[in-house]
Amino acid sequence: MSDTSAANGKVVVNRAMSLDGFIAGPGHAMDWIADFLAPDKMREQAAATGAMLVGRRTDEVGDRMEAEKPGSVDYPFSGPVFVLTHRPPEPPDTEVTYLAGDIGDAVATARGAAGGKNVEILGADVAGQCLRRGLVDEILVYVLPVLLGDGIRFSPPGLPRIGLEPVSSTPSGAVTILRFRVRK
Ligand SMILES: NC(=O)c1ccc[n+]([C@@H]2O[C@H](COP(=O)([O-])OP(=O)(O)OC[C@H]3O[C@@H](n4cnc5c(N)ncnc54)[C@H](OP(=O)(O)O)[C@@H]3O)[C@@H](O)[C@H]2O)c1
């Protein structure tokens, strides 16, 4: 990715993560996050976001959480959302755009809709594809003080080694916020 495109917004992976490296617990449990991280803590990240590229499983978990507890998926973002899936639901959610195919093309589509702001990548599988292809500029992790023991790891197994350049490490109450640039 050229410096020019980076100046037009970054491709970022923002995650809440347990100390043992899980971004969701067993059965895609996400209830451990709200104990430590209120949506307003993510206001700055949301304001920098111009589009989201979301894996189908993340989308489904978001829908499930919203159905079980309305308002629980309260990320303060209202821009374009692209959901990657080989089998869009019937009827489709008219508030998102479904994409399938090459991950580089999907990221380019999301960048094109982001209006010069960041593209956020959601989902471990999707983030893994993006990292493997060198498409991610930055990783921001909220490390939460909990061990989940099992679940969805930050990235799926099989990634090659990827170097990270530490940008900042900020304690915020019980949470530690770590920001890294991805070495290309
Ligand atoms: N802690 C956090 O901050 C955080 C943030 C985001 C997500 N999460 C959690 O992460 C979990 C989901 O991650 P995940 O790794 O299991 O799944 P995911 O990355 O959300 O979704 C994977 C699915 O996306 C579709 N997909 C991926 N690449 C595609 C492509 N190139 N073309 C077409 N479809 C494609 C496929 O769906 P089909 O099978 O439909 O084709 C695939 O099964 C959820 O529990 C979610 O809540 C946590």
Side-chain angles (χ1 to χ4, degrees), residues 14-17 22-25 27-30 32-33 54-62 65 84-88 99-103 106 121-127 129 152-153 156:
N14 296 342
R15 289 288 182 278
M17 190 181 79
F22 295 100
I23 64 162
H28 292 277
M30 297 291 282
W32 49 283
I33 296 178
V54 183
R56 190 260 306 164
R57 285 196 288 268
T58 297
D59 187 52
E60 279 183 1
V61 171
M65 289 167 67
L84 276 163
T85 179
H86 297 94
R87 44 190 178 97
L99 299 177
D102 179 71
I103 193 70
I121 308 293
L122 293 182
D125 173 87
V126 174
Q129 292 181 58
I152 305 292
R153 294 195 170 279

Side-chain angles (χ1 to χ4, degrees), residues 29-154:
M30 297 291 282
D31 55 337
W32 49 283
I33 296 178
D35 292 346
F36 305 105
L37 202 57
D40 66 304
K41 283 215 174 173
M42 294 177 272
R43 209 164 284 287
E44 194 186 320
Q45 275 68 47
T49 301
M52 291 205 196
L53 183 60
V54 183
R56 190 260 306 164
R57 285 196 288 268
T58 297
D59 187 52
E60 279 183 1
V61 171
D63 288 350
R64 185 189 74 193
M65 289 167 67
E66 196 57 36
E68 286 172 2
K69 193 175 172 195
S72 56
V73 186
D74 205 11
Y75 194 58
F77 173 78
S78 59
V81 175
F82 297 90
V83 174
L84 276 163
T85 179
H86 297 94
R87 44 190 178 97
E90 201 50 61
D93 177 349
T94 52
E95 294 185 357
V96 308
T97 303
Y98 296 98
L99 299 177
D102 179 71
I103 193 70
D105 291 345
V107 169
T109 299
R111 287 189 82 113
K117 292 177 148 190
N118 293 347
V119 172
E120 263 197 49
I121 308 293
L122 293 182
D125 173 87
V126 174
Q129 292 181 58
C130 292
L131 284 163
R132 184 181 290 278
R133 287 275 294 271
L135 296 168
V136 179
D137 298 306
E138 203 171 277
I139 296 174
L140 185 141
V141 179
Y142 301 87
V143 182
L144 305 193
V146 60
L147 301 171
L148 292 178
D150 201 355
I152 305 292
R153 294 195 170 279
F154 173 84

